Amino acid sequence: MDDIYLGLASNGERQVLRLRRANRHGLIAGATGTGKTVTLQGIAEQFSMRGVPVFMADVKGDLAGISMPGSPTFKHAASLEQRAKDLGITDYAYTDNPAVFWDLYGENGHPIRTTISEMGPLLLSRLMGLNDTQEGVLNIAFRYADDNGLLLIDLPDLQSVLMACAENASELSGKYGNVSKASVGAIQRQLLSFESQGADRFFGEPAFEINDFIKVDDQGRGMVNVLAAEKLMQSPKLYATFLLWLLSELFEALPEVGDPDKPILVFFFDEAHLLFEDAPDALMDKVEQVVRLIRSKGVGVYFISQNPIDIPEKIAGQLGNRVQHALRAFTPRDQRAIRAAAETFRINKELDVETVITELKVGEALVSTLNDDGSPAVVQRTMISPPRSRLGPVTPKERAIIQSVSPFDGKYDTAVNRESAAEVLAQKSADAAAAAQQVAEEGEEAQRAAPRRTSSMWEKAGKAAAGAVASSAGAVIAAKITGKKTSASPMSTGLTAVVGTIATSIGGAAFGRFARGIMGGLLR
């Protein structure tokens, strides 16, 4: 099986990234303007050509160009073509790659959402930096929601459940443990801070299905999933939350495969320092654990950062494949980074690594990958292979065209806000207030004789199904009129709404996930 061709070393040796060792993770580092993004793009498109799906965070907007072929009219086309010739690439030709655009805000790609229940109290606690007491209260809130059939889908749901816990603190303390109103208040403040960064867009439905990242096109090329992250980068806590959630979801969803012939999926995380900056120790431990163990799931994780010392030592020790572009020795920190980078490579007696790192030209890098036996190769000064796709952003029109032929068109684009904890608790509060007013005005007997104010479980299910089917049917009709594809299914959407509503009434989030799985199986 073909390996990933990285480039040609100064001694004439071909430098490759072996596919069967690509799940041992990696690092692409270097100062601004030294060629990191071009290297990333070239490696990603080669993974795609070999049938390996790719995920990449596009923090500057230029990686979207991987979806379009390069052009001989590009201002640096001549140098790219000459480099390919110098490296012995005889079949060099411009080509595109199958790409899907994603965006947490839903502006430049399909939105990605998850539910509060799927995120879970442990990960939420670590991401918000809660102390042990606050984490305990958050666990109680989740347990209270499950025991009372309250679905936790979005941030208002969690806020409503926390308020209910505070209002019933004395009652809950006897059943679950002490619930401090001060702790509830602290959690709510953290949630408000989280929401101000745009987390309200991340939590909701329809929830993202992680297997949608692991697709190939009809030619057997791996899909390149490009996350539009220019806006997301302004909310570093949300960016870190998303990345960690994604890794955790993959770790939980994928089976153990050991060391496959090629990775199941490869992740490229640009601006990796944002994942570790000011992160609490508990969160760092979680990241380290996931990175260490996800290798056996066939997933390779590649961090891209300007400075190699941005990556914590425990995690850097897991990165077997390294591409180091030039570093500048302008500050004491830069000098420490150069020494640290040099010490991570297997020594090449013919190369003064500390000196060479500061002398590398644009498009040159120090490369050390894993050999077939898993040992690190000797570091080599290498001219990096050029990509075949466009170096630069796509136009809004090009992005729209690519989105229109996406296999997920219509699946995630429209948010669904069905009845969950916030609505249920608001209705209960309204019913209680109305009942109290009726007792005050007409007496207790009149209140008992009055019909129930809240719909029954099956009435709710019928309404939810009818609304969902109507919405989905509308999407299908619109798709037929416009000629666009849609993944929406009136029958499956209606049944999902029924099951979700029943779960709200009799079993909480856990039953909801179980029942939806059964219904999904029946629909296949």
Side-chain angles (χ1 to χ4, degrees), residues 268-476:
F268 292 94
F269 288 158
D270 206 353
E271 300 295 339
H273 66 280
L274 294 177
L275 190 60
F276 311 110
E277 212 167 59
D278 300 323
D281 291 340
L283 177 58
M284 292 298 302
D285 292 341
K286 179 68 174 177
V287 176
E288 180 198 352
Q289 179 190 36
V290 171
V291 170
R292 178 162 43 87
L293 297 178
I294 205 170
R295 175 199 62 78
S296 62
K297 307 280 187 170
V299 177
V301 180
Y302 289 72
F303 296 99
I304 296 89
S305 184
Q306 292 188 17
N307 204 318
I309 62 175
D310 290 336
I311 312 298
E313 287 187 11
K314 290 182 179 180
I315 295 170
Q318 309 294 326
L319 311 181
N321 301 293
R322 293 170 178 262
V323 179
Q324 177 66 63
H325 287 274
L327 291 173
R328 310 305 180 203
F330 297 140
T331 68
R333 187 173 186 271
D334 293 338
Q335 293 167 4
R336 289 196 301 272
I338 290 170
R339 287 193 296 271
E343 292 169 358
T344 60
F345 290 115
R346 182 177 171 184
I347 296 174
N348 182 343
K349 295 181 179 179
E350 299 178 0
L351 207 63
D352 183 351
V353 174
E354 282 195 42
T355 301
V356 170
I357 287 179
T358 62
E359 297 175 348
L360 292 170
K361 302 174 185 176
V362 174
E364 276 191 315
L366 292 171
V367 171
S368 176
T369 59
L370 296 178
N371 294 316
D372 282 332
D373 60 3
S375 64
V378 172
V379 60
Q380 296 286 358
R381 183 172 184 168
T382 303
M383 180 63 71
I384 299 298
S385 172
R388 300 166 186 248
S389 52
R390 178 188 295 176
L391 295 178
V394 295
T395 66
K397 184 177 180 180
E398 290 169 336
R399 186 182 292 272
I401 293 172
I402 293 169
Q403 282 296 92
S404 70
V405 298
S406 166
F408 310 114
D409 184 38
K411 183 173 182 178
Y412 298 111
D413 299 324
T414 303
V416 175
N417 185 21
R418 60 189 172 94
E419 186 177 71
S420 51
E423 290 80 13
V424 171
L425 291 173
Q427 184 62 56
K428 285 182 177 180
S429 178
D431 288 350
Q437 183 177 355
Q438 187 173 16
V439 169
E441 294 176 354
E442 303 176 24
E444 214 170 300
E445 291 300 323
Q447 192 276 329
R448 286 177 181 171
R452 63 184 297 166
R453 292 179 170 82
T454 303
S455 302
S456 70
M457 172 181 68
W458 294 106
E459 287 171 337
K460 290 178 183 177
K463 290 178 181 177
V469 168
S471 174
S472 185
V476 171

Side-chain angles (χ1 to χ4, degrees), residues 236-249:
K237 183 178 288 187
L238 182 58
Y239 181 65
T241 299
F242 169 74
L243 297 184
L244 185 54
W245 165 79
L246 211 49
L247 287 176
S248 299
E249 283 289 296

Side-chain angles (χ1 to χ4, degrees), residues 217-235:
D217 71 354
D218 53 7
Q219 299 178 39
R221 298 179 299 174
M223 297 299 294
V224 180
N225 299 279
V226 182
L227 176 72
E230 299 125 291
K231 185 175 179 180
L232 184 60
M233 291 298 297
Q234 300 171 23
S235 306

